[in-house]
Amino acid sequence: MKPNRKQEFHGLTTTKAPFIENAQNEGQMFIHQPYELYSDDNQEAWKKLYALLLPKWKRFANAKFMEGIRCLCLKPDRIPTLEEVNVFLEPLTGFKARAVSGYVPTFLFFDSLKKREFPTTITIRDSKKLNYLPEPDIFHDIAGHVPMHTDKAFADVLVKFGSLAEVAAKRHAHLTNEEEKMSKIRSNIQALARFFWFTVEFGLMQEKGNICVYGSGLLSSANEIEYSVTAKEVQRHLFQLGWVINQSFEYDRFQPLLFIVQSFEHLYEEVERLEEWLLNGQLDNVSPGEPKVSENDLKVFLQQGNMGASTP
């Protein structure tokens, strides 16, 4: 009797997917999406999450996100293929989702955005554990991030922001003091990561007099999306670049501090200002703390600074 592949491989569940483990062991970062491996539990997780989030999206998400959900024609009862997503996405903004086996080094992740490619996780959380996870999954990436990529203004923000990785990598290449070079690059990476966290992942926006959500970390969390807008415990402040780049954050808790932008045009202006600060050295010594910069992330930035950006 031929074995059932779904049983044999236990699906594509976050942290429990042999297909992903094999790809990582073989050094494969960019992979294909083996759709036949999704188990019934995987499909049930997508279905439950979509049902939980849809009414909250309608209430708390910004209008561009809801328009993006419609444009992508996402199905509420099954995980989409990335090919299906890209058929609708690419003609709108040139962006496309590209499957990855897990963590992508910071430089390569940001550089992918510059190329209008979004590194996309293909595993999904357990259907019995639907709360927001520190690690991304396909629901977070496709239902949380990608609808925003259908909007030209937001897509342009991502491309501009992504280009700063190469700027950060190259601007310290001339330094001969290795300790100084690593210190400045580490600070630059922290500043860029914090900007991304407080905008693309956990950003709020003022829309028609109300606060709404555009950050994917919030949009993919059934519990935190409402909390971020309504809870008295959350500090919500107008976007302040100096505060954002010096503000630590933690992955495994509801966010106590969030920042509000006025529009995606406003956000683009802040990315331009972030580039100015990067070039004039204002990101070279930001406040220490989270997120920590891994040695691998630092190594990739150093390599790219010496040899220039290259296609992964």
Side-chain angles (χ1 to χ4, degrees):
M1 181 176 177
K2 191 174 181 179
N4 184 313
R5 294 191 72 195
K6 290 184 178 180
Q7 293 177 355
E8 179 184 351
F9 287 89
H10 309 294
L12 289 171
T13 306
T14 303
T15 72
K16 301 176 183 178
F19 173 84
I20 295 298
E21 292 175 13
N22 292 338
Q24 292 173 342
N25 290 337
E26 294 172 5
Q28 299 176 29
M29 182 180 301
F30 294 99
I31 58 175
H32 73 288
Q33 181 189 21
Y35 197 87
E36 72 279 3
L37 296 187
Y38 286 116
S39 65
D40 292 340
D41 184 78
N42 294 155
Q43 299 289 359
E44 185 66 16
W46 177 278
K47 183 177 179 180
K48 286 181 177 179
L49 283 165
Y50 202 99
L52 277 172
L53 265 302
L54 183 58
K56 297 190 177 186
W57 289 338
K58 291 178 178 177
R59 183 178 174 191
F60 298 109
N62 73 91
K64 294 296 184 180
F65 175 83
M66 293 307 299
E67 186 177 335
I69 289 287
R70 291 190 291 272
C71 288
L72 293 174
C73 299
L74 296 180
K75 301 294 190 295
D77 59 348
R78 69 168 177 86
I79 298 167
T81 69
L82 301 195
E83 288 82 1
E84 291 172 329
V85 170
N86 291 337
V87 163
F88 295 105
L89 177 59
E90 281 195 83
L92 295 174
T93 62
F95 257 90
K96 64 179 180 181
R98 189 178 181 188
V100 294
S101 63
Y103 179 74
V104 177
T106 302
F107 179 91
L108 297 179
F109 181 86
F110 290 163
D111 200 56
S112 292
L113 298 182
K114 183 184 72 174
K115 301 181 177 76
R116 295 183 184 264
E117 292 181 347
F118 183 67
T120 303
T121 313
I122 60 171
T123 56
I124 191 165
R125 68 197 79 175
D126 193 307
S127 68
K128 299 177 183 63
K129 300 176 181 178
L130 297 179
N131 292 334
Y132 171 77
L133 299 175
E135 57 266 83
D137 70 347
I138 194 169
F139 191 85
H140 169 81
D141 283 348
I142 293 298
H145 275 284
V146 174
M148 296 306 316
H149 301 174
T150 65
D151 179 68
K152 184 181 183 305
F154 186 80
D156 289 346
V157 166
L158 291 182
V159 173
K160 179 65 176 177
F161 177 82
S163 72
L164 301 189
E166 185 174 357
V167 176
K170 288 184 174 181
R171 65 180 297 268
H172 302 299
H174 68 285
L175 295 176
T176 56
N177 185 313
E178 288 300 311
E179 185 177 345
E180 178 188 5
K181 180 188 295 187
M182 288 191 292
S183 175
K184 289 184 176 181
I185 292 178
R186 183 179 285 109
S187 179
N188 289 176
I189 296 172
Q190 281 189 308
L192 294 177
R194 288 167 176 171
F195 187 97
F196 191 84
W197 180 266
F198 285 112
T199 58
V200 179
E201 290 288 359
F202 285 88
L204 299 178
M205 178 178 289
Q206 192 81 25
E207 188 174 73
K208 297 181 179 179
N210 298 311
I211 295 175
C212 63
V213 175
Y214 73 90
S216 60
L218 300 172
L219 290 166
S220 57
S221 173
N223 291 328
E224 193 167 5
I225 183 173
E226 181 171 358
Y227 179 88
S228 70
V229 175
T230 64
K232 293 184 295 183
E233 295 83 357
V234 178
Q235 298 182 61
R236 305 173 190 87
H237 295 276
L238 296 179
F239 190 91
Q240 301 175 55
L241 183 58
W243 195 348
V244 166
I245 63 171
N246 287 289
Q247 178 63 45
S248 295
F249 60 83
E250 297 178 16
Y251 293 92
D252 57 353
R253 58 177 292 189
F254 282 8
Q255 298 304 301
L257 172 66
L258 299 171
F259 293 95
I260 304 167
V261 298
Q262 301 304 311
S263 65
F264 292 132
E265 289 74 20
H266 173 209
L267 184 57
Y268 190 92
E269 291 171 1
E270 294 295 343
V271 177
E272 289 184 315
R273 195 150 65 101
L274 182 69
E275 181 179 32
E276 292 175 6
W277 286 25
L278 174 62
L279 290 172
N280 67 27
Q282 287 177 262
L283 307 187
D284 287 352
N285 189 32
V286 299
S287 176
E290 296 296 336
K292 301 299 183 185
V293 178
S294 72
E295 291 304 310
N296 187 50
D297 273 335
L298 192 58
K299 179 181 176 181
V300 174
F301 266 82
L302 288 169
Q303 288 174 341
Q304 295 298 329
N306 292 331
M307 61 187 290
S310 60
T311 301

